[in-house]
């Protein structure tokens, strides 16, 4: 299996031996003038078990190379033979990986059968498409999630990320996007689980299987309990699979990543083990180039596109963190999740004032969408400005105009909440996917004052404005019946 993972090796490639082991970093001595090239994979024959794959990172001298192991180094000892391969790590791609869960080197992890020997393979390292070959026609990627489609619309073939601290709903939002987009858009889904919990991977696999979209999805996992080398390279393995569908099969691909910050963390662990001096806030000095190596390969070409939606953990809710700021620079859409909104039960907890998209331009999305989005933001911003006054003096101290605006802003925020299909089992509410026209119509109705007399709960966790109207009508009928009886 490992021989296939590094397919492309040539005869009479040099054999070396392990001379030092430092956690996941291994020093290997080769014969003179035969040291393995940087970026290539080597196979460490570790007893009767499966060979351990490692990637060459540094040449220490003419005969010694330092490699990062992509698997567990437990039981490895000095003197263990090492076979060079002469090629980068290669992973299985194509139809064979759909419906499967694999690890960083392309081995099945779902208790299914092994991949056949003739399955196509691609190297995990590849250049980004040249600018001359990239398509730059912005087109909206509809998700059916009201607040995202209205205020931070995704671009087909673009990169979007969800920023948030622990426990604000990044993974749930990504799982909902997998389900809704695979059902709404024909194409392939590739999910990269970088440093996530085993429980989340198991839940995702069951959810995709039950919803019937697993057959069009490939899952690539480097879990939290795996060595840093596996977490560091699993994103590139998923990219190789996505690029094959885009370039060779000309399919649109949805690449979901949870979570890019874990890739940075794994790179930091590797950097320390390799002996590099840390940079700002203790991050690796190669932070910018590592993120760029991953992000710049996500692009659209004429006829097919890779659309990426990524989760980004924000340490201590600090959006000025160097890793978070670096990731921001590569994105077309930024969806910021708010802990305050999550604590109020406003799910999805998308912060309407901080979330944005390069697609928010009247020339691209039309005047009505742009105008509605700006008015929604303006109303919520005005409400936020008045919140301290309301908390200190009460809403009665506001002018009549301000009271009307505050009421509309609160109703808008509740209307932008939405029950998800993936949370039905926990909330008891069936999920909703809402078309953009219905979202705009609902926001316009609230902005124009139609819902001024409605109870706020009538707009909370609904789909379109018609559902809210029905709920409001039923709440008015119920007290009347109670009085009559």
């Amino acid at each position: 299996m490992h021989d296939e993972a590094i397919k492309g090796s040539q005869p009479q490639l040099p054999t070396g031996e392990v001379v030092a082991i430092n956690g996941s970093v291994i020093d290997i001595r080769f014969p003179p003038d035969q040291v393995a090239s940087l970026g290539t994979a080597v196979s460490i024959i570790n007893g009767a078990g499966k060979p351990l794959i490692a990637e060459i990172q540094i040449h220490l001298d003419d005969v010694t190379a330092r490699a990062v192991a992509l698997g567990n180094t437990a039981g490895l000892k000095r003197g263990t033979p090492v076979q060079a391969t002469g090629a980068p790590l290669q992973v299985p791609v194509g139809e064979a990986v759909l419906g499967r869960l694999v690890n960083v080197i392309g081995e099945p992890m779902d208790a299914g059968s092994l991949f056949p020997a003739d399955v196509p393979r691609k190297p995990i390292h590849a250049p980004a498409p040249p600018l001359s070959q990239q398509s730059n026609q912005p087109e909206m990627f509809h998700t059916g999630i009201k607040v995202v489609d209205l205020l931070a619309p995704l671009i087909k073939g673009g990169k979007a990320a969800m920023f948030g601290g622990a426990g604000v709903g990044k993974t749930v939002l990504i799982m909902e996007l997998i389900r809704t987009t695979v059902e709404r858009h024909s194409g392939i889904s590739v999910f990269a689980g970088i440093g996530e919990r085993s429980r989340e991977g198991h839940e995702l696999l069951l959810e995709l299987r039950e919803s019937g979209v697993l057959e069009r999805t490939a899952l690539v996992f480097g879990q939290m309990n795996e060595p840093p080398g596996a977490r560091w390279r699993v994103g590139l393995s998923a990219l190789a699979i996505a690029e094959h569908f885009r370039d060779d099969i000309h399919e649109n691909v949805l690449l979901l990543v949870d979570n890019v910050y874990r890739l940075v963390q794994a790179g930091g662990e590797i950097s320390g083990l390799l002996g590099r001096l840390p940079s700002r806030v203790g991050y690796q000095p190669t932070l910018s180039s590592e993120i760029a190596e991953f992000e710049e390969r996500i692009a659209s070409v004429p006829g097919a596109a890779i659309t990426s939606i990524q989760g980004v953990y924000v340490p201590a809710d600090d959006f000025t963190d160097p890793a978070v700021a670096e990731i921001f620079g590569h994105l077309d859409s930024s969806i910021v999740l708010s802990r305050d909104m999550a604590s109020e039960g406003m799910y999805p907890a998308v912060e309407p004032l901080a979330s944005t998209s390069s697609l928010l331009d009247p020339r691209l999305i039309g005047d009505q969408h742009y105008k509605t989005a700006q008015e929604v933001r303006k109303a919520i911003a005005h409400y936020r400005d008045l919140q301290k006054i309301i908390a200190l003096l009460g809403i009665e101290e506001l002018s009549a105009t301000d009271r009307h605006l505050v009421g509309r802003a609160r109703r808008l925020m509740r209307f932008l909440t939405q029950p998800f299909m993936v949370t039905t089992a926990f909330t008891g509410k069936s999920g909703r996917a809402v078309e953009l026209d219905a979202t705009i119509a609902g926001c316009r109705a609230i902005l124009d004052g139609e819902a001024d007399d409605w109870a706020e709960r009538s707009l909370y966790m609904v789909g379109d404005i018609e559902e809210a109207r029905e709920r409001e009508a039923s709440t008015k009928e119920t007290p009347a019946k109670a009085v009559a009886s």
Side-chain angles (χ1 to χ4, degrees):
M1 181 68 199
H2 285 73
D3 293 337
E4 289 298 325
I6 45 183
K7 183 181 171 185
S9 27
Q10 303 164 6
Q12 300 179 342
L13 285 166
T15 300
E17 66 174 16
V18 174
V19 294
I21 307 159
N22 180 18
S24 292
V25 171
I26 304 164
D27 290 351
I28 304 165
R29 182 181 293 127
F30 289 94
D33 301 323
Q34 296 186 45
V35 64
S37 303
L38 292 179
T40 59
V42 295
S43 178
I44 303 172
I45 299 92
N46 192 11
K50 296 187 297 186
L52 172 65
I53 303 300
E55 186 178 282
I56 302 294
Q57 289 297 317
I58 298 176
H59 287 166
L60 299 176
D61 53 43
D62 291 345
V63 295
T64 312
R66 182 163 286 172
V68 174
L70 302 184
N72 199 334
T73 55
L76 193 63
K77 60 184 180 181
R78 291 180 179 180
T80 302
V82 178
Q83 178 65 56
T85 68
L89 174 69
Q90 301 197 14
V91 294
V93 297
E95 297 288 335
V97 300
L98 293 180
R100 304 298 303 271
L101 187 152
V102 301
N103 63 10
V104 63
I105 62 174
E107 288 183 324
M109 301 291 288
D110 54 5
S113 58
L114 298 177
F115 293 114
D118 60 350
V119 69
R121 291 176 181 268
K122 286 288 180 72
I124 65 169
H125 297 289
L131 283 174
S132 59
Q133 296 179 15
Q134 293 187 22
S135 173
N136 60 354
Q137 295 296 324
E139 181 184 342
M140 187 168 171
F141 186 88
H142 295 278
T143 65
I145 298 173
K146 289 182 289 189
V147 66
V148 173
D149 286 345
L150 179 70
L151 300 177
L154 309 188
I155 299 175
K156 189 175 181 181
K159 296 182 278 285
M162 283 166 284
F163 295 86
V168 295
K170 294 185 302 298
T171 300
V172 170
L173 193 49
I174 281 186
M175 288 172 67
E176 180 71 7
L177 283 165
I178 291 178
R179 179 161 185 157
T180 57
T181 52
V182 170
E183 289 175 353
R184 293 164 68 89
H185 301 268
S186 60
I188 302 294
S189 257
V190 179
F191 181 88
I194 305 176
E196 288 303 294
R197 302 166 186 82
S198 304
R199 169 187 58 79
E200 291 174 341
H202 181 66
E203 288 176 359
L204 177 63
L205 186 64
L206 290 178
E207 176 65 35
L208 294 178
R209 188 172 283 146
E210 289 172 7
S211 61
V213 298
L214 182 62
E215 296 308 310
R216 299 288 287 171
T217 305
L219 305 171
V220 190
F221 267 84
Q223 292 172 173
M224 190 175 279
N225 62 323
E226 296 192 50
R231 290 179 271 123
W232 191 41
R233 289 307 189 209
V234 70
L236 299 184
S237 297
L239 256 178
I241 294 171
E243 286 171 335
H244 172 77
F245 285 110
R246 179 194 66 191
D247 299 335
D248 298 342
I249 307 193
H250 307 294
E251 286 261 23
N252 290 321
V253 183
L254 177 66
L255 175 65
L256 298 120
V257 185
D258 193 12
N259 144 351
V260 178
Y261 185 78
R262 306 292 181 200
L263 183 151
V264 174
Q265 280 186 315
E269 292 179 53
I270 294 296
S271 182
L273 290 169
L274 290 174
R276 296 178 182 139
L277 290 173
S279 183
R280 270 177 54 195
V281 200
Y283 284 110
Q284 59 269 39
T286 53
L287 173 68
S288 297
S289 56
E290 283 180 15
I291 292 174
E293 180 188 10
F294 177 76
E295 297 286 359
E296 290 304 303
R297 287 169 61 182
I298 301 169
S300 59
V301 298
I306 296 178
T307 303
S308 178
I309 301 171
Q310 307 166 13
V312 182
Y313 167 70
V314 179
D317 292 338
D318 179 15
F319 285 87
T320 65
D321 183 89
V324 175
E326 189 66 39
I327 295 167
F328 256 120
H330 290 274
L331 303 174
D332 301 298
S333 302
S334 301
I335 301 167
V336 178
L337 301 180
S338 161
R339 189 171 302 281
D340 290 340
M341 293 188 66
S343 66
E344 293 173 11
M346 300 290 188
Y347 288 106
V350 175
E351 173 51 64
L353 303 184
S355 303
T356 187
S357 167
S358 60
L359 198 62
L360 272 179
D361 186 314
R363 295 168 298 178
L364 302 176
I365 58 174
D367 287 330
Q368 188 183 30
H369 182 175
Y370 178 77
K371 183 180 176 184
T372 303
Q374 294 302 98
E375 288 185 30
V376 167
R377 275 214 179 96
K378 184 178 177 181
I380 294 173
H382 188 63
Y383 168 53
R384 294 273 172 83
D385 290 341
L386 295 172
Q387 270 186 309
K388 286 185 180 178
I389 297 173
I390 296 169
L392 289 170
L393 304 175
I395 196 168
E396 296 79 12
E397 295 301 316
L398 299 179
S399 68
T401 303
D402 280 345
R403 284 202 299 272
H404 274 302
L405 290 173
V406 166
R408 288 176 189 176
R410 288 177 59 87
R411 286 167 175 80
L412 281 168
M413 291 171 70
R414 279 150 183 76
F415 178 66
L416 292 176
T417 61
Q418 187 170 343
F420 283 169
M421 297 177 190
V422 296
T423 58
T424 301
F426 308 104
T427 64
K429 295 176 183 279
S430 58
R432 307 281 193 277
V434 184
E435 295 297 329
L436 176 62
D437 289 344
T439 300
I440 294 172
C443 290
R444 283 253 56 96
I446 296 169
L447 288 166
D448 293 339
E450 182 182 336
D452 284 357
D453 298 328
W454 295 8
E456 290 181 1
R457 64 178 179 273
S458 298
L459 293 153
Y460 178 68
M461 285 291 172
V462 296
D464 57 19
I465 195 71
E466 290 300 325
E467 184 180 347
R469 261 193 207 102
E470 292 170 9
R471 186 184 289 184
E472 174 66 15
S474 66
T475 56
K476 285 181 177 176
E477 288 172 8
T478 304
K481 288 178 180 176
V483 169
S485 61

